[in-house]
Amino acid sequence: WAVFPAQQSRLLALEPEHGGIVLSLIGSTIYIGSAVGAALGGLLLAHFAPTLPAYVACAITTAGLGCFLLSIPAARRRG
């Protein structure tokens, strides 16, 4: 949860005129991600090796980091 305020600040800086919508959407994505992550983890534990959820979480985190890194140039252009 320590990343949440930083995400809010970054998104508000990108879209300051739509602050209310931005904050509501980021909050919704946090809850949706928690629900999907729990469901996916449960399915993986039920059907595969107990170590697999850690590898899947690592892959998803790496994909998220990649999305963030790709968004940096766009944020700089908007400026």
Side-chain angles (χ1 to χ4, degrees), residues 4-77:
F4 192 60
Q7 289 175 335
Q8 288 177 327
S9 295
R10 183 169 187 271
L11 291 173
L12 283 173
L14 289 172
E15 291 292 337
E17 65 276 359
H18 301 292
I21 293 171
V22 167
L23 292 178
S24 64
L25 288 174
I26 190 71
S28 296
T29 58
I30 293 292
Y31 291 116
I32 290 169
S34 295
V36 171
L40 180 61
L43 287 171
L44 291 173
L45 282 174
H47 298 289
F48 299 101
T51 56
L52 187 61
Y55 294 116
V56 173
C58 182
I60 292 170
T61 301
T62 302
L65 177 62
C67 289
F68 170 73
L69 292 174
L70 289 173
S71 74
I72 290 174
R76 287 185 180 157
R77 281 193 303 267

